[in-house]
Each structure stands twice: as C-alpha cells, then as structure tokens.
Amino acid sequence: MTGQDWMEKDFYAALGVPKDADDAAIKKAYRKLARKYHPDQNQGDASAEAKFKEIGEAYAVLSDPKEREQYDAIRAMAGGGARFSAGPGGAGGAGFEDVFGGMFGGGGPGGTRVRYSTGGQGAGGFEDILGSMFGGGAGQQFGGPRPRAGADLAAATTLPFRQAVEGSTVTFTVDGRTVTTRIPPGVRDGQKIRLRGKGRPGTAGGPDGDLVVTVHVTPHPVFSLDGNNLRITVPVTFPEAALGATIAVPTLDGSTVKVKVPAGTPSGRTLRVRGRGVKTAKSTGDLLVTVQVAVPQKLSKAAREAVETFAAETAGQDVRADLVRQAAE
C-alpha cells in the first residue's frame, strides 16, 4: 500500500476505535466487526464483503506496531487524511510547504518558509520523499506487501437421503473453477462442511480462503437420521404387541432384519438393532425401531365380537390411573 493510500484511509474510524486505543481494544473491535461482516454471515452482500476487507486492512496495519507508527506519522503530516498540494494551501487547508515547513522550523506569521518542490526536472514526488524517510522508493509499499488471506466462498448441494447416509462425491463450479470433494457418510440436513484452501487465492503468499458447503438432505419416506443412528417407525398389530412376535424390519440397504417384539410392548417403545445404522470411519450407528400399534379401521362381525369379549375380560383395568394421579400432584 502506498503512502497516498494511507493518507486517504482512516483505519481507526474503520474499526471504530480512538487513535490512542491499545492493542487489546483494537483486537476486540476487529473481532466484533469481523464476525458481523464475515462473508459466511452475509452471502451475496457486496457491501458487507467490502466492509470485511476494509476492517481486515485496517487491523493488519494497526496490529503491527511498526506499521502503525508509520501510518500515524503519515496521517499526522497529512493533517489526518487530506492530500498534499504543490502550491499554497487553499481556504482552510495548509499547502505542502506548510506541513514540511512546520516540521523543520518554518511556517507561521513572519517565519522563514522552507519550500519543497513536487514537480520539475529531477525532483521526486511526495512518494519519493516518504520513501526516503522510511527506507523505500517511489511507489513502494512500506515494509513490502503483507500476506493477505483469500476470501471464503459459499456453495450448496442437495443430496438424496441414501447418499447422505452412505457418503457421496460432489462437484461444484465456484468462481469459474471446478471443485470436487467427498461428502462424508451421515451428513445432516443443513450441515456446513468447510473445505480448507478451496476459496479465493491469497495474495503476497497469504493462505487461500475456504469453501463452505451447506448440505441439504432430501427426506426419506421411511428412515430418518439421529446422529449416526437410523430411525424407523414400524406398525404392529395388537396381538403382536400384546402376545409378542418376531417381525421383519426393512433396512436402508434393501434387506430386512428380524426384530423380536416382547409381549406387552406398548405403542411408542423403541427397540434397538445394533450395527445397522450409519457407518463412518470411527463408528457404526444402530437401527432404532419404534413400535406403533396399528388400530384397524374396519372390523368384521367376528372380530368385533372378539374385541368386545376382550373388553369385557379387561374391564377392571384402568390404564389412565397413573396419568390422573400424576396430574393431581
């Protein structure tokens, strides 16, 4: 960045801190603003992206003691950001010679004015003078270009439920580049996956940004994800729940697994089938089978009579006794 750039930019105002702010205050202000304007939180907002870059540039200078000292010196000479002019200052503004005259004893009513020319054969411009003061040449950056991290980019993909459970390879086109990556097994709907170094390139040797991928998962009509476990709700008949039974339960791979339903199983109880869930590099989840007692919509005459007989035989049982007692507590 050139000296003229530093004259025109108020890094303290960009971070919202006073000029005498200490390092801790500068860092705190930067972190707060960086979270607010980060591209991940403001996707597609060009003004937020510009603000994010502005506060990053400001922090890069003010967090470096040497660069901050040079920046403060240049801003002080420039009167806080005004351009230097080659002739006498206009109304309300000092000229180039007024600033340097004040530095070397000139200026003011009756004082000897020290004049510096910014043009003419063999004469260097303002950048040459600042360069000689800080060890650089015309148009050079103070201390050389600072490494800058590339910006993070965002992308999204939608996977069928089965691919989300088993893992899938997807390809994106980002900033004119093709990026192929592996989505791990068991990814959840709305989960964000960060691909390191797949964002915009850094500058001056800075690290490349990341690509943040939001994964959407299409719901399955039968299965759902619960961490690394798969859930399924299975209907059973009243006799199966009351008397007990062994039933066939479908699995995601298209096969079935035998599940024993104990006698007296109530509707809503969950039975666990170990090792039939999501398989990851670290572990394998389970299949969680929730039993739902199915009530027939129509009964034959014989079935109705059987149910009526059952009702008469169990008339003394109050299945809501505990509910009434707990409600009264």
Side-chain angles (χ1 to χ4, degrees):
M1 183 178 293
T2 65
Q4 186 67 54
D5 290 331
W6 275 5
M7 282 191 299
E8 295 172 347
K9 296 184 179 182
D10 189 340
F11 292 149
Y12 293 102
L15 294 180
V17 297
K19 294 181 180 180
D20 59 352
D22 59 17
D23 292 343
I26 290 172
K27 181 180 291 187
K28 181 179 179 180
Y30 168 71
R31 287 180 174 176
K32 180 179 179 181
L33 292 172
R35 284 194 298 269
K36 179 178 180 180
Y37 293 103
H38 196 281
D40 284 356
Q41 307 297 325
N42 304 273
Q43 295 184 18
D45 189 337
S47 62
E49 182 178 355
K51 182 65 176 178
F52 183 73
K53 291 180 179 179
E54 178 186 1
I55 62 178
E57 182 180 49
Y59 180 69
V61 173
L62 298 185
S63 63
D64 187 309
K66 183 177 179 181
E67 289 205 3
R68 182 178 180 182
E69 181 180 3
Q70 294 174 351
Y71 171 74
D72 287 343
I74 292 174
R75 294 278 295 178
M77 286 189 294
R83 288 179 177 270
F84 285 85
S85 60
F96 183 87
E97 47 280 310
D98 293 324
V99 177
F100 277 84
M103 291 175 61
F104 297 103
T112 302
R113 186 178 300 279
V114 180
R115 300 187 66 83
Y116 295 86
S117 172
T118 62
Q121 185 68 26
F126 178 65
E127 294 292 335
D128 297 308
I129 297 172
L130 292 178
S132 65
M133 292 174 62
F134 296 105
Q140 286 185 331
Q141 295 181 336
F142 297 98
R146 289 176 60 87
R148 305 287 184 190
D152 290 348
L153 297 176
T157 188
T158 299
L159 296 179
F161 184 85
R162 189 180 303 276
Q163 289 185 19
V165 170
E166 298 174 350
S168 179
T169 298
V170 296
T171 300
F172 306 93
T173 299
V174 183
D175 265 12
R177 296 177 293 115
T178 299
V179 178
T180 300
T181 188
R182 178 72 178 170
I183 302 296
V187 65
R188 300 178 301 280
D189 183 52
Q191 183 174 342
K192 295 182 183 295
I193 297 177
R194 182 175 293 272
L195 305 179
R196 301 290 182 186
K198 299 297 184 180
R200 287 187 179 153
T203 58
D208 294 343
D210 300 335
L211 176 61
V212 181
V213 180
T214 301
V215 181
H216 302 288
V217 179
T218 303
H220 193 280
V222 172
F223 297 98
S224 63
L225 272 176
D226 181 2
N228 281 349
N229 298 322
L230 282 173
R231 285 189 174 274
I232 184 173
T233 298
V234 178
V236 297
T237 65
F238 175 75
E240 288 175 331
L243 304 177
T246 298
I247 62 175
V249 176
T251 61
L252 191 62
D253 62 10
S255 63
T256 60
V257 61
K258 297 293 184 180
V259 177
K260 183 178 181 180
V261 179
T265 296
S267 187
R269 175 172 291 178
T270 297
L271 308 174
R272 184 181 297 268
V273 182
R274 298 195 178 277
R276 301 306 292 263
V278 181
K279 296 181 180 180
T280 68
K282 295 182 179 180
S283 63
T284 300
D286 301 329
L287 178 64
L288 305 179
V289 181
T290 299
V291 173
Q292 184 178 63
V293 177
V295 178
Q297 300 297 306
K298 294 182 179 181
L299 294 174
S300 65
K301 181 179 179 181
R304 177 177 291 278
E305 291 175 351
V307 172
E308 290 173 347
T309 300
F310 173 79
E313 292 295 328
T314 58
Q317 298 180 8
D318 186 355
V319 296
R320 291 175 289 278
D322 286 344
L323 178 66
V324 173
R325 177 182 56 78
Q326 292 173 3
E329 292 181 355

